[in-house]
Amino acid sequence: MQYVNLHNHTVYSDGKNTVRENVEAAIRLGMGAIGFSDHSYTAIDERYCMMPDQYEVYEREIRAIAAEYEDQIPVYLGIELDYFSDMPTFATDYIIASVHYIVKDGAVHAIDSSPEKQMRCFEESFGGDRLAMARAYYENLTAHVRRTKPTLVGHFDVITKFSLIPEDDARYRDLARDALTEVVKHCPYVEINTGAISRGWRTTPYPQSYLLSHLKEIGGRPVLGADSHSIQHLTFGYDEAVELLRSYGFPSIFAFGKGGYEEVKI
Ligand SMILES: [Zn+2]
Ligand SMILES: [Zn+2]
């Protein structure tokens, strides 16, 4: 199977490699297509994102490289749009909708950057209530997907990244399941994101496996995404993710192509 990955970061935001290095690595790997999804500008935290004046250069470089490599691999222009960002000021081929922050009473918490920061979030802003923090995360995500109508829902339950959420608690699972139902109503394409595996935080992709049967039941369409920040991880964990999806009875995955998503039997 020729793998596609729309979720890639480059030196334009917090990735290690250039656009060209990524495209050349994707060709070496025999990938079916590659897309770029650097972080949208977030005024609340400028550390990991593109700055607004980079948008034009980003767009121009990716379009130029797409034309240059057109005979070898399709290259798509996208963005990973944070909930706290404005819509991009340039035309993209796709948008990944993701939540990376919780803002409460003026405090900005980057919930997926380190365990310490996530701990500070629930201790300082939610009186130690981890479930309340998870609820706030899913409220942001469902509002984002409803408003943005993205091409893809990014790392659905990234709030579980550091294993600080009581995932065995039925109240948490209900919360996550309800959010998944709501999200899929507005965007059926949900990323099976292997990014936390390549960074050593988790051993399975997002959404966590207890949500996969629900995803299937409600007609969610799985799309593989590596959330790669270096060319070593362009299709990281894809074989295992496909195996996992098969074991939950998914007959196919969805791969982005020129005319939108194509169904690929697995
Ligand atoms: Zn993200
Ligand atoms: Zn990402």
Side-chain angles (χ1 to χ4, degrees):
M1 189 188 309
Q2 275 199 310
Y3 285 136
V4 173
N5 181 13
L6 296 184
H7 198 154
N8 293 295
H9 297 280
T10 73
V11 289
Y12 278 103
S13 62
D14 58 350
K16 288 191 184 71
N17 296 98
T18 62
V19 171
R20 187 179 298 279
E21 284 164 353
N22 272 277
V23 169
E24 288 180 350
I27 294 167
R28 283 196 300 274
L29 283 170
M31 287 173 67
I34 183 167
F36 292 96
S37 61
D38 273 303
H39 290 287
S40 59
Y41 174 64
T42 43
I44 55 170
D45 182 0
E46 295 182 340
R47 281 172 299 171
Y48 311 102
C49 62
M50 289 191 277
M51 297 305 285
D53 60 4
Q54 280 179 288
Y55 276 8
E56 204 188 317
V57 190
Y58 174 74
E59 178 193 17
R60 208 180 320 126
E61 182 180 2
I62 293 171
R63 290 298 187 206
I65 285 191
E68 186 183 331
Y69 288 88
E70 135 185 88
D71 296 337
Q72 295 172 73
I73 190 169
V75 175
Y76 298 111
L77 169 64
I79 196 161
E80 183 176 12
L81 189 74
D82 185 79
Y83 176 53
F84 291 97
S85 294
D86 294 328
M87 287 297 274
T89 49
F90 56 95
T92 58
D93 297 321
Y94 66 91
I95 288 177
I96 302 176
S98 298
V99 171
H100 305 99
Y101 299 96
I102 290 175
V103 178
K104 183 112 190 303
D105 305 325
V108 175
H109 300 286
I111 47 99
D112 71 333
S113 69
S114 73
E116 293 73 26
K117 284 195 180 123
Q118 198 182 95
M119 272 188 252
R120 205 174 308 139
C121 179
F122 62 73
E123 277 162 10
E124 289 175 8
S125 289
F126 294 92
D129 187 344
R130 302 174 191 213
L131 218 53
M133 176 182 68
R135 188 171 301 111
Y137 167 79
Y138 286 117
E139 279 168 8
N140 284 354
L141 183 63
T142 49
H144 189 12
V145 175
R146 231 183 272 130
R147 177 184 73 193
T148 308
K149 308 238 177 328
T151 321
L152 181 61
V153 179
H155 47 62
F156 173 77
D157 51 353
V158 73
I159 192 76
T160 64
K161 181 171 181 177
F162 307 117
S163 305
L164 294 170
I165 297 293
E167 290 177 81
D168 293 331
D169 188 325
R171 291 171 302 170
Y172 169 73
R173 292 198 180 192
D174 284 349
L175 193 69
R177 255 193 301 266
D178 289 350
L180 191 56
T181 304
E182 180 61 16
V183 153
V184 164
K185 271 188 212 160
H186 301 278
C187 176
Y189 298 98
V190 175
E191 182 183 41
I192 306 302
N193 178 308
T194 59
I197 312 174
S198 59
R199 277 168 277 179
W201 293 111
R202 304 279 323 197
T203 54
T204 52
Y206 307 117
Q208 304 305 333
S209 45
Y210 50 80
L211 291 169
L212 290 178
S213 40
H214 186 62
L215 184 70
K216 181 165 179 286
E217 208 175 286
I218 60 178
R221 299 178 156 194
V223 176
L224 301 181
D227 203 347
S228 89
H229 289 70
S230 96
I231 56 171
Q232 271 78 47
H233 296 149
L234 282 177
T235 58
F236 188 92
Y238 269 31
D239 289 343
E240 294 81 358
V242 166
E243 257 331 295
L244 184 69
L245 289 167
R246 269 195 206 118
S247 75
Y248 278 84
F250 283 92
S252 43
I253 55 170
F254 292 80
F256 196 76
K258 282 202 171 62
Y261 284 108
E262 291 153 13
E263 189 170 359
V264 182
K265 298 275 170 230
I266 57 173

